[in-house]
DNA sequence: TTGTAAGCGTTATCAG
DNA sequence: CTGATAACGCTTACAA
C-alpha cells in the first residue's frame, strides 16, 4: 500500500490562469480594488481586503509580474554577467548575489560571457530586452572597452561591476583589495625567513592580477628587498602553467626559497613539481596562493592562500545596486566598495625551524 | 595621453527608451510594418524592411521582451531551481543549462532552495509569476511531496526534474544511472581482489543515494558475495562523517579491505583517517568515491571516482524541456533520460601487486 | 504589401 | 473608501 503517493489527478489539463479580472468578477468589485488589496495599498477597507486575499488564495491566483513590470516600467529582475559559472569563485559570488537579491524580492537572470566580449555584448542586449532593473557584471578576459556598457547607462539601468573591472574608468564597483591581500601573503613568506620570493603573475591587463603583483612588490619594498625580474613569471594560472613556471624558476642560478602565486591552481602545479623533484615544502621552498580554493586544504602539505570573500562580494554587489536604485535621481557619481581579503596560513608556508 | 579612454560623455541622462511606435512615427509607417520587419515576417517589402532595420540600429532600438511575452502569453525565460549553486555539481549543471538555453534564445532565472522545501515553494511561485516558459528543478533534501509542483502543471508550464527526483512519481526527468555507476565502481574494487568492500551510504530518501547503494549490492551479488550489514554505513557525505565512518569500520573484528563511498568528500575523509593511522591506500584499503570532484585529482593518492556528466545533464535537461515545448498539445506522457556515468580509475584503487 | 485596432494583465490617474 | 478608464509596448486577426 501507499505505492503511489502524490500522483497528478487525471483531470487537469492546463486550466487558464486566473487574473485580477477574474477575482473582480467573482467578488463583484472593480479591478482597482483587487489591485489595491493585493498590493497592500492604504485606501482599502480591511473587510474587502480580507475577502480579496481569501478568494485569491482559493482560486490560486498567481500575479503576472510581466504585466506589472510593463506597466510600471521597472521589473524585479536583476541581470548578472559572469565569464563562466563553474569553479568556486563565480559560483560563490552568484550564490551571494542570489541570496541577497531574493531576500529583496528580486529574481536573478544569469548570463555567461565565456570570456568573450562578443558574447558579453549579446548578454547586455538580452538583459536590456528583458527589462532588468539592474546589471551586475564581472568582465570577460578580453573586454578592453566600455562601449557596450554605455548603452546600459543610456537606458538608465544601474550598473555595478565586481571583481574584474576596467581600470581607469569611473564606475560603480565592488572589488577585493587584491593589492593588500598579495602584500599580506608575501610579507608572511618574508616573515618566515624567505628572502628570494618568486611571483607567478596572471594576465596583467586584468586589474586583479596587476594589483596582486603590485602587492607583492610592496611587500618586498617594505622589507628593503629589490625586486628581481627573473623571479616574476608570466603565468596563465593553470595547473600546468604553474608547474612549468616552477620548473623554470628552479633552473635559475639562484633559485627562489618561496613562491607567491596570484592563483591557487598554479601554486598547486608548483607544489606537485617540487614534490616530484624531491624538494621539500616548506623547508626548501615555501608556497602561498590566492583564492583559497577547496583544493588548498586537500593538498599535502595544505596550501597557504588568500581568501577572496566570494559570498560577501556577491552581497556587496547587490547592496550597491540597491543603493543606486534607492538613490534614484540623487546625483551621486561613483561608488567603490573594497573588501578586505583574509590570509589563511597553512603548512605550505610554515617553516618549523628558525629562519 | 590616452589617460581616460571611454569615459561617459557628460551629456546623457537616461534618455527614454525608443519603442516601435517611435520607429513607426519616424519612418511614417504603421507599427505593424515595424513589427513585421523586426520579426522577420514574410509579408514585408525588402526595401521597407531594410529601412526599418537601419533606423532601428541608428536609434538604438531595444525590443521589450516583457511586452512581447505578455502579448504572446509565453516568455523566453526559463526557471531553474537548485538546492544551492556553490560546489561543482550544480554549478556545472547550471552551466550546461545556461549554455544550451542561451543558444536557443532563452534566458535562465536561477533560484536556490537552500535545501528547504518552504523556499522551494516560494521559488516556484516566483517563477510562475515571472511567467517562465518552463521550470527545471533538482529538489531539495527535505522535499517529500509534490504538491507545489502540481501548480506548475496546472499552469501548463513544462516541468523537468534533474538528478534529484521524487521516486514513484511519473515525471519528466533527467537522471544519472547512479545504480550502474555504483555497480561499476564496486566491481572495479572487487576485480582488484578486494573481498570485504564497505559502503558509505548517503541519506536514503534521496533517489541518488538509494540507487548508489543498490548498485553496490548488485556488484556484490554478481561476485557471489553476501552483503554484510556492518559494512554499510549511514553517512551524511561530509568529510568529517566520512572519517568517522572509516574509524568505525576499522573497529570491526574483520575490517574492510576496500570502501566505496556515495560521495567524494566522505571518501576523502576516509583517506585522511587511514593515512593518519598509517594504513596504506590502496594496498591495505582501496578507495573509490562518487562525483569526480576536483579534489579527487589533488588527493594523494589520487582518488578513483564516478563522473556524473554534470554538463551533459544540464544540456539534456534543457533539451527535454525544449522537446516538451515543441510537442505542445501532442499528448505524450512522461519522458526519462538516463545518462551513463563514467568511472575514472586512479591510484586509490589500483593494487599494484596481485590480489 | 501595408494599415487598423483590439487586447495581453497590471497600475495610476482621476472622479465619485 | 471605491470605480471607470487609460496606458505600458508589443503581436495579430482582419481589413484594405
Amino acid at each position: 500500500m501507499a505505492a503511489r503517493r502524490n500522483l497528478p489527478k487525471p483531470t487537469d489539463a492546463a486550466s487558464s490562469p486566473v487574473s485580477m479580472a477574474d477575482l473582480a468578477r467573482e467578488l463583484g468589485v472593480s479591478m482597482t480594488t483587487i489591485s489595491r488589496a493585493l498590493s497592500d495599498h492604504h485606501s482599502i477597507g480591511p473587510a474587502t481586503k480580507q475577502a480579496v486575499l481569501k478568494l485569491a488564495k482559493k482560486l490560486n491566483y498567481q500575479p503576472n509580474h510581466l504585466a506589472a513590470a510593463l506597466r510600471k516600467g521597472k521589473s524585479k529582475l536583476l541581470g548578472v554577467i559572469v565569464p563562466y559559472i563553474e569553479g568556486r569563485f563565480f559560483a560563490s559570488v552568484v550564490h551571494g548575489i542570489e541570496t541577497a537579491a531574493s531576500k529583496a524580492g528580486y529574481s536573478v537572470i544569469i548570463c555567461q560571457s565565456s570570456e568573450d566580449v562578443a558574447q558579453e555584448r549579446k548578454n547586455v542586449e538580452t538583459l536590456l530586452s528583458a527589462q532588468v532593473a539592474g546589471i551586475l557584471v564581472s568582465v570577460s578576459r578580453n573586454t578592453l572597452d566600455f562601449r557596450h556598457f554605455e548603452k546600459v547607462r543610456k537606458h538608465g539601468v544601474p550598473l555595478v561591476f565586481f571583481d574584474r573591472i576596467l581600470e581607469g574608468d569611473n564606475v560603480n564597483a565592488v572589488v577585493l583589495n587584491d593589492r593588500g591581500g598579495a602584500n599580506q601573503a608575501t610579507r608572511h613568506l618574508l616573515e618566515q625567513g624567505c628572502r628570494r620570493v618568486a611571483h607567478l603573475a596572471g594576465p596583467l591587463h586584468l586589474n586583479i592580477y596587476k594589483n596582486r603583483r603590485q602587492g607583492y612588490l610592496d611587500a618586498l619594498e617594505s622589507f628593503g628587498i629589490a625586486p628581481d625580474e627573473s623571479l616574476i613569471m608570466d603565468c596563465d594560472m593553470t595547473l600546468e602553467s604553474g608547474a612549468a613556471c616552477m620548473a623554470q624558476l628552479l633552473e635559475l642560478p639562484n633559485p627562489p626559497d618561496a613562491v607567491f602565486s596570484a592563483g591557487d591552481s598554479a601554486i598547486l602545479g608548483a607544489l606537485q613539481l617540487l614534490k616530484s623533484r624531491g624538494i621539500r615544502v616548506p623547508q626548501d621552498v615555501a608556497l602561498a596562493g590566492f583564492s583559497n580554493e577547496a583544493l588548498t586544504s586537500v593538498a599535502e602539505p595544505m596550501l597557504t592562500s588568500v581568501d577572496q570573500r566570494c559570498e560577501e562580494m556577491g552581497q556587496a554587489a547587490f547592496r550597491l545596486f540597491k543603493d543606486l536604485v534607492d538613490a534614484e535621481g540623487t546625483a551621486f557619481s561613483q561608488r567603490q566598495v573594497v573588501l578586505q581579503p583574509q590570509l589563511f596560513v597553512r603548512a605550505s608556508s610554515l617553516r618549523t625551524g628558525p629562519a
Side-chain angles (χ1 to χ4, degrees), chain A:
Chain A
M1 58 185 66
R4 348 166 72 228
R5 267 172 311 184
N6 296 298
L7 287 192
K9 306 186 201 83
T11 60
D12 44 14
S15 52
S16 59
V18 26
S19 73
M20 283 180 31
D22 299 319
L23 298 184
R25 198 175 319 111
E26 190 79 12
L27 267 188
V29 299
S30 77
M31 277 184 48
T32 314
T33 304
I34 304 291
S35 175
R36 286 206 258 250
L38 260 28
S39 53
D40 219 39
H41 194 278
H42 58 277
S43 287
I44 181 87
T48 23
K49 181 166 159 184
Q50 283 315 313
V52 171
L53 292 179
K54 200 178 132 215
L55 183 68
K57 209 127 292 174
K58 182 184 157 207
L59 296 194
N60 232 301
Y61 166 74
Q62 202 68 37
N64 185 330
H65 286 170
L66 256 51
L70 174 60
R71 177 60 234 249
K72 295 199 283 198
K74 270 299 164 208
S75 76
K76 279 291 206 171
L77 297 173
L78 182 62
V80 175
I81 305 176
V82 289
Y84 48 87
I85 194 170
E86 287 182 287
R88 182 173 119 85
F89 181 68
F90 286 116
S92 293
V93 176
V94 168
H95 171 88
I97 293 173
E98 203 280 328
T99 305
S102 76
K103 262 182 209 141
Y106 287 84
S107 296
V108 343
I109 298 184
I110 196 103
C111 295
Q112 302 180 96
S113 65
S114 305
E115 298 282 15
D116 177 22
V117 216
Q119 182 59 45
E120 193 172 278
R121 267 190 277 268
K122 278 189 194 162
N123 292 335
V124 169
E125 302 276 318
T126 304
L127 292 177
L128 287 179
S129 289
Q131 311 294 119
V132 293
I135 296 183
L136 274 42
V137 47
S138 198
V139 300
S140 91
R141 208 157 203 170
N142 59 13
T143 296
L144 300 174
D145 70 80
F146 256 28
R147 271 166 301 182
H148 49 306
F149 294 119
E150 285 294 293
K151 196 178 289 185
V152 177
R153 286 198 314 90
K154 279 211 184 100
H155 282 249
V157 173
L159 180 61
V160 173
F161 290 83
F162 60 90
D163 194 53
R164 299 199 198 163
I165 67 176
L166 289 181
E167 296 267 289
D169 281 290
N170 45 354
V171 294
N172 303 297
V174 178
V175 290
L176 191 76
N177 182 353
D178 287 286
R179 186 168 173 174
N183 186 353
Q184 211 180 332
T186 310
R187 291 179 75 101
H188 163 71
L189 291 170
L190 291 165
E191 284 160 2
Q192 293 295 308
C194 303
R195 279 303 168 268
R196 284 187 61 73
V197 180
H199 176 50
L200 307 186
L204 294 177
H205 67 274
L206 284 182
N207 59 311
I208 53 174
Y209 295 123
K210 199 158 109 186
N211 291 333
R212 289 173 198 176
R213 180 172 175 279
Q214 192 55 53
Y216 159 78
L217 294 174
D218 291 348
L220 290 186
E221 187 177 357
S222 70
F223 268 70
I225 298 177
D228 178 345
E229 278 300 327
S230 66
L231 289 180
I232 301 181
M233 311 290 295
D234 282 336
C235 176
D236 69 9
M237 293 293 119
T238 60
L239 188 90
E240 295 74 22
S241 171
C245 288
M246 191 69 239
Q248 229 178 305
L249 286 168
L250 291 177
E251 303 282 311
L252 291 178
N254 195 358
D257 56 5
V259 181
F260 163 62
S261 165
D264 277 337
S265 292
I267 202 69
L268 177 65
L271 171 64
Q272 292 179 342
L273 184 109
L274 289 169
K275 289 209 288 189
S276 75
R277 304 246 175 126
I279 298 174
R280 295 169 307 163
V281 175
Q283 295 86 343
D284 299 327
V285 180
L287 301 178
F290 208 108
S291 284
N292 201 26
E293 298 272 357
L295 62 86
T296 54
S297 305
V298 178
E300 296 182 18
M302 290 187 184
L303 290 162
T304 289
S305 191
V306 179
D307 187 83
Q308 292 185 94
R309 329 297 293 272
C310 322
E311 220 171 310
E312 284 96 325
M313 182 170 289
Q315 289 171 10
F318 177 77
R319 217 165 341 170
L320 182 42
F321 153 75
K322 199 59 180 26
D323 286 351
L324 292 172
V325 170
D326 295 343
E328 189 75 89
T330 314
F332 70 86
S333 52
Q334 268 71 31
R335 297 196 179 181
Q336 302 262 143
V337 175
V338 179
L339 299 176
Q340 289 310 319
Q342 188 182 355
L343 179 67
F344 280 76
V345 175
R346 300 198 182 88
S348 75
S349 65
L350 274 182
R351 300 207 165 182
T352 44

